Amino acid sequence: MDSGVCLLSLLVALSTLSHVLSEPILRLPSEKAISSDYCDSWRLAVETNNAGPWERVPANCVDFVAEYISGERYRRDCEVVGNLSLAFARSVRLVGDGRDAWVFDIDETLLSNVPYYEDIGFGFEIFNETSFDAWVNSAAAPALVPNLILYNELKELGFRIFLLTGRSEYQRNATEANLMLSGYRNWERLILRESYDKGKPAISYKSEKREELENEGYRIHGSSGDQWSDLWGYAVAARSFKLPNPMYYIP
Amino acid sequence: MDSGVCLLSLLVALSTLSHVLSEPILRLPSEKAISSDYCDSWRLAVETNNAGPWERVPANCVDFVAEYISGERYRRDCEVVGNLSLAFARSVRLVGDGRDAWVFDIDETLLSNVPYYEDIGFGFEIFNETSFDAWVNSAAAPALVPNLILYNELKELGFRIFLLTGRSEYQRNATEANLMLSGYRNWERLILRESYDKGKPAISYKSEKREELENEGYRIHGSSGDQWSDLWGYAVAARSFKLPNPMYYIP
């Protein structure tokens, strides 16, 4: 090899090197990056209820939502909510008369339907009652781990636990089986929609049921849910904890 | 140069190249990355009110908050909220009797105090009334641009605009001057705390004032604020829009 050829080879290698080094600095934001930036702001708007009612994840945010839900951020976001809920629960002075209550929603709160939503494209498809019912009947939803931990700690502290779900009375057996299989024990009551609750917006149905608990003498110190309709309305808890959910919206 | 030396030089260059290429893949998450992950979840917890009352930004999140506020994400998050607010406003069927209202908070909603908070370490210091009052008197806060755009569009659509702020009556002149200087015109009314409002939690004071507007016959279609205490309570707007603010919390 003569020195001219060698110099040329070195220059090619060095120019590749400098190309690699400079590329991330010079590269313009890709379309994916732009859309992911927007989707991050869209997600915040959903979590703060700024987005209002929405039917499906925007087409250009489906990949973002899939990545978020399947990745570390969703797990960590839920964990931080769980820790804040527990810190609050520990600060509550319980009366200890068996009327200190905490209300949990089920779907995307105690149980995770991510395996189901993974199969149907992470919120891009409009809600399909038939396929979701089949999934509920399979009783295969895993626990949302930070909330299983919270649930057990709350029981230790002496809270009575109420499960207030948009699922229907005919799904009681499958729901109980799923809760038991994923590690939940000894709740006070599981409240499901009766036939006369059908068609009520979740926010009304859940407020009514919380009011019934209050009328029975329960003090609802805390409430956990992934939808604002789990938490707002009337007879609201002293503190409400919103779990993240960018996959679907329930009014 | 003989071919042995040349080969060696090439190998060195290529090994540097492969080192550069492999480094980002092999590197373990740094302490900064771990803390920034946590802070991202903390920020979401603040925006959804899961964090409850807090006095100052956690020490290990001060850099994160500074970066967020000074960077593109805050600007974009505000822009998306502005766009969603406008989309809602356009969907409202206005009666047109001069009673269609929108309520805006001022600080971190119409006006940005970021230049002030930049100087005092982005929320790590506890609120200092004296230095903040001096800043208010300087009337130097710039407009929060997406909300200036929204404000003007709402006026075009025919909304009457009410400014409802935690600032005090004695700050009226400085506040009006600042609003004018930063581009705001023709609001219907600027409501500040009177001496008898002193000490009231913002959520009570603002609910009272909104109720007074309703009693005057105003329909509050929308409300924009960076604190939940701007938006919740009673006499709430048909739709509330929460602007991001991880710098401070007002009960």
Side-chain angles (χ1 to χ4, degrees):
Chain A
M1 205 188 286
D2 77 11
S3 69
V5 172
C6 176
L7 201 65
L8 192 66
S9 314
L10 258 171
L11 283 174
V12 168
L14 288 171
S15 107
T16 312
L17 176 64
S18 97
H19 182 69
V20 167
L21 281 168
S22 65
E23 201 205 15
I25 297 153
L26 294 176
R27 190 167 47 190
L28 290 167
S30 65
E31 208 171 296
K32 193 185 164 186
I34 291 170
S35 127
S36 149
D37 283 349
Y38 164 75
C39 298
D40 196 51
S41 297
W42 173 80
R43 184 178 69 95
L44 180 64
V46 161
E47 294 306 339
T48 50
N49 212 29
N50 287 331
W54 52 279
E55 274 209 329
R56 60 173 95 183
V57 173
N60 58 346
C61 293
V62 171
D63 288 351
F64 173 88
V65 167
E67 212 170 297
Y68 168 76
I69 288 285
S70 315
E72 274 302 288
R73 286 179 81 188
Y74 175 56
R75 197 198 52 72
R76 202 172 49 235
D77 286 346
C78 290
E79 200 176 277
V80 168
V81 183
N83 292 342
L84 289 163
S85 310
L86 186 56
F88 164 70
R90 287 195 175 127
S91 79
V92 172
R93 197 186 292 253
L94 273 73
V95 177
D97 58 351
R99 289 289 183 269
D100 294 300
W102 195 285
V103 176
F104 278 103
D105 168 55
I106 293 183
D107 293 300
E108 269 51 73
T109 302
L110 293 185
L111 297 179
S112 165
N113 299 308
V114 166
Y116 169 78
Y117 284 100
E118 226 164 33
D119 276 356
I120 61 153
F122 281 110
F124 186 54
E125 289 179 19
I126 286 183
F127 183 71
N128 177 321
E129 202 168 331
T130 312
S131 75
F132 188 71
D133 280 3
W135 161 255
V136 165
N137 280 330
S138 73
L144 213 142
V145 176
N147 283 342
L148 176 56
I149 295 168
L150 172 64
Y151 179 101
N152 288 329
E153 296 268 5
L154 291 173
K155 287 210 59 71
E156 280 290 308
L157 288 168
F159 286 90
R160 302 294 162 118
I161 294 184
F162 292 85
L163 313 184
L164 176 51
T165 174
R167 292 185 179 193
S168 295
E169 195 52 55
Y170 70 87
Q171 294 168 311
R172 181 176 288 276
N173 289 349
T175 302
E176 284 181 348
N178 199 154
L179 287 164
M180 299 289 284
L181 283 168
S182 60
Y184 295 96
R185 296 283 180 280
N186 300 322
W187 51 85
E188 193 71 13
R189 204 179 300 167
L190 166 60
I191 304 164
L192 303 108
R193 274 181 194 260
E194 311 262 7
S195 51
Y196 55 79
D197 295 315
K198 224 185 147 178
K200 277 182 199 162
I203 193 165
S204 317
Y205 155 70
K206 296 204 167 186
S207 293
E208 279 173 27
K209 294 299 170 184
R210 280 195 309 269
E211 195 175 47
E212 284 172 27
L213 291 178
E214 286 189 352
N215 291 342
E216 287 180 50
Y218 287 103
R219 293 173 294 279
I220 307 176
H221 298 291
S223 183
S224 309
D226 63 295
Q227 302 285 326
W228 285 112
S229 56
D230 295 328
L231 309 168
W232 281 351
Y234 52 92
V236 297
R239 277 280 295 277
S240 294
F241 296 91
K242 166 75 173 75
L243 277 300
N245 185 356
M247 295 184 295
Y248 58 88
Y249 172 89
I250 299 175
Chain B
M1 205 188 284
D2 76 10
S3 70
V5 173
C6 175
L7 202 64
L8 193 65
S9 316
L10 257 172
L11 282 173
V12 168
L14 287 172
S15 107
T16 313
L17 176 64
S18 96
H19 181 71
V20 166
L21 281 169
S22 67
E23 203 206 14
I25 296 154
L26 294 176
R27 192 167 46 191
L28 290 166
S30 67
E31 210 173 295
K32 192 183 164 190
I34 290 170
S35 128
S36 147
D37 283 348
Y38 165 75
C39 299
D40 196 52
S41 296
W42 173 81
R43 183 178 70 93
L44 181 63
V46 161
E47 295 306 339
T48 49
N49 211 29
N50 287 331
W54 52 278
E55 274 208 328
R56 60 174 93 184
V57 173
N60 59 346
C61 293
V62 171
D63 288 351
F64 173 88
V65 167
E67 212 172 297
Y68 168 76
I69 289 286
S70 316
E72 274 301 288
R73 285 179 81 189
Y74 175 55
R75 196 198 52 70
R76 202 175 48 235
D77 285 346
C78 291
E79 200 176 278
V80 168
V81 183
N83 292 342
L84 289 163
S85 311
L86 186 56
F88 165 70
R90 287 194 175 127
S91 78
V92 172
R93 197 185 291 255
L94 273 73
V95 178
D97 58 353
R99 288 290 182 268
D100 295 298
W102 195 284
V103 176
F104 277 103
D105 168 54
I106 294 184
D107 294 299
E108 268 51 73
T109 302
L110 292 186
L111 297 178
S112 166
N113 300 307
V114 166
Y116 169 77
Y117 284 99
E118 225 162 34
D119 276 355
I120 61 154
F122 280 110
F124 187 54
E125 290 179 20
I126 286 183
F127 183 71
N128 177 319
E129 200 166 331
T130 313
S131 76
F132 189 71
D133 279 4
W135 162 255
V136 165
N137 280 330
S138 74
L144 212 143
V145 176
N147 282 342
L148 176 55
I149 295 169
L150 172 64
Y151 179 103
N152 288 330
E153 296 268 5
L154 290 173
K155 287 210 59 70
E156 281 290 308
L157 289 169
F159 287 90
R160 300 296 162 117
I161 294 185
F162 293 86
L163 314 185
L164 176 50
T165 174
R167 292 185 179 194
S168 295
E169 194 55 53
Y170 71 86
Q171 296 169 311
R172 179 176 290 276
N173 289 350
T175 302
E176 284 180 350
N178 200 154
L179 287 163
M180 299 289 283
L181 284 167
S182 60
Y184 294 97
R185 296 284 181 278
N186 300 322
W187 51 85
E188 191 72 14
R189 202 179 302 167
L190 166 60
I191 305 164
L192 304 107
R193 273 179 193 261
E194 310 264 6
S195 52
Y196 54 79
D197 294 316
K198 223 184 150 180
K200 276 182 201 163
I203 193 165
S204 317
Y205 155 69
K206 296 203 166 184
S207 293
E208 280 172 27
K209 295 298 170 185
R210 280 194 310 269
E211 194 175 48
E212 284 172 28
L213 292 177
E214 287 189 352
N215 291 342
E216 287 181 50
Y218 288 102
R219 292 172 294 279
I220 308 177
H221 297 290
S223 183
S224 309
D226 64 297
Q227 303 285 327
W228 285 112
S229 55
D230 295 328
L231 309 168
W232 281 352
Y234 52 93
V236 298
R239 277 280 295 275
S240 294
F241 295 91
K242 167 74 175 74
L243 277 301
N245 185 356
M247 296 185 294
Y248 58 87
Y249 171 89
I250 300 176

